[in-house]
Amino acid sequence: MLVGEGGDMLVMNLPPWLRWPECRCGVIDWSMIHGICQPHATMVAGLLFGVGWWVWADSVVYGTSVLNERFNPVTLLPGIVATFAIIIMNLIGRDDVSSETYNDDAALCRSRTFLFMTYLASLGAIGGSVAILLAAKQREEHLWVGASGVIQCVSILGSGMLTWFFHSAEQSNYGYSYM
């Protein structure tokens, strides 16, 4: 940005996806931020999901080949639970959990209950991966397998939240609202 005459800020010719929305009187235009981020949200979510599973697979290969540790299938469980949680989370759209959409209280309650259960499963996946990390620390083993489980769960759940937030609205062109 350049400062013009009288202290005015002049914005360079930037592409629309690089321009930050103007903030007037402390109010931020969230719909504009949503519109800027939405085209890129699916790509970022996919990258986060892939990085999560790649970090876990890297730690398992490192542990079995370099450290000569035995593969423990329990380290796989938090990632699977987190993956199923984001699948179920993305089956429920944001419009399904708002009280303005339905006149049917049972459908609203059912959608909110499913979403709450996915949050509980997500927290359970993070808790399980932290428990695996703490168990490795107590046994004085190499911590990379445990730490990679935590990184995996956080990145998988972050990708699910990105997808749910940016692509489950009714007005979205991309869909992802299946329930």
Side-chain angles (χ1 to χ4, degrees):
M1 284 201 252
L2 303 172
V3 178
E5 297 175 13
D8 296 330
M9 296 294 239
L10 301 174
V11 180
M12 290 191 250
N13 289 331
L14 295 174
W17 55 274
L18 270 179
R19 291 185 199 137
W20 190 255
E22 293 182 25
C23 179
R24 294 189 178 134
C25 301
V27 177
I28 297 175
D29 187 8
W30 290 110
S31 62
M32 182 181 228
I33 293 173
H34 187 271
I36 291 170
C37 296
Q38 187 175 15
H40 311 292
T42 304
M43 181 184 66
V44 172
L47 284 172
L48 274 174
F49 185 82
V51 164
W53 278 104
W54 179 78
V55 165
W56 178 83
D58 177 63
S59 71
V60 169
V61 169
Y62 179 76
T64 56
S65 64
V66 175
L67 301 175
N68 295 325
E69 292 179 353
R70 194 173 53 87
F71 171 67
N72 187 358
V74 173
T75 61
L76 184 62
L77 290 177
I80 290 175
V81 170
T83 301
F84 281 130
I86 68 163
I87 289 170
I88 295 170
M89 179 191 312
N90 283 301
L91 291 175
I92 302 165
R94 283 186 305 186
D95 294 338
D96 295 338
V97 295
S98 69
S99 60
E100 301 163 355
T101 306
Y102 292 115
N103 291 331
D104 185 14
D105 288 336
L108 181 64
C109 183
R110 190 171 39 250
S111 297
R112 288 181 180 175
T113 302
F114 277 134
L115 193 60
F116 180 70
M117 291 300 194
T118 61
Y119 289 156
L120 289 179
S122 302
L123 290 174
I126 291 174
S129 62
V130 169
I132 291 171
L133 175 62
L134 293 176
K137 175 75 173 162
Q138 280 184 337
R139 290 188 306 253
E140 296 180 1
E141 293 177 351
H142 198 269
L143 297 180
W144 176 230
V145 174
S148 69
V150 175
I151 294 168
Q152 174 196 28
C153 284
V154 168
S155 65
I156 287 173
L157 296 173
S159 74
M161 290 302 292
L162 265 175
T163 306
W164 188 79
F165 181 72
F166 284 107
H167 293 293
S168 62
E170 186 69 31
Q171 66 270 15
S172 172
N173 295 334
Y174 299 106
Y176 296 113
S177 180
Y178 301 119
M179 188 169 175

